[in-house]
Amino acid sequence: QVQLVESGGGLVQAGDSLRLSCAASGRTFTSSAMGWFRQAPGKEREFVASISRISGSTRSADSVKGRFTISRDNAKNTVYLQMNSLKPEDTAVYYCAASPNGLGGPYAYWGQGTQVTVSS
């Protein structure tokens, strides 16, 4: 079991930066790949970025490449999403998720989400 709590969301202006954090509890964090997803109003949830269990290899959506960076600190049981050069289209609820089976998923555990709003 993994329990996930996101934080760091807020209201910012276009071009600003935010760092989201996801604190995990439970013994399987270090053996789980971690991901960030987002869901904008009226849209389906979409993949943002993921990071592997040990090597730290990452994947990210084309829409955020070069702007968002995912990282993890296994000593702190925390995964981060550094978001730079934010755009209004980045406005969404951002969810952290854990995949005990690695980057291929499925993501079995989800946080409650944190709202990110980017004004133009």
Side-chain angles (χ1 to χ4, degrees):
Q1 286 278 346
V2 179
Q3 292 79 43
L4 305 171
V5 179
E6 301 97 334
S7 62
L11 172 63
V12 296
Q13 293 186 331
D16 286 350
S17 298
L18 275 177
R19 188 176 79 157
L20 305 183
S21 298
C22 173
S25 60
R27 293 186 292 178
T28 58
F29 173 79
T30 55
S31 62
S32 296
M34 300 297 296
W36 285 97
F37 296 77
R38 67 186 182 185
Q39 186 167 20
K43 295 187 177 180
E44 293 188 353
R45 186 167 58 195
E46 65 175 359
F47 168 78
V48 176
S50 61
I51 186 166
S52 66
R53 291 174 282 193
I54 303 299
S55 68
S57 61
T58 63
R59 300 175 182 174
S60 60
D62 288 343
S63 58
V64 305
K65 280 182 179 177
R67 300 189 299 123
F68 291 11
T69 303
I70 188 171
S71 62
R72 67 189 295 165
D73 185 337
N74 287 339
K76 295 182 178 180
N77 277 13
T78 301
V79 63
Y80 304 97
L81 184 68
Q82 178 66 45
M83 305 186 295
N84 299 328
S85 302
L86 282 161
K87 304 175 180 180
E89 51 264 43
D90 295 319
T91 295
V93 178
Y94 283 72
Y95 297 92
C96 171
S99 168
N101 292 330
L103 286 177
Y107 287 87
Y109 306 102
W110 294 81
Q112 82 290 348
T114 186
Q115 177 71 48
V116 172
T117 303
V118 185
S119 64
S120 58

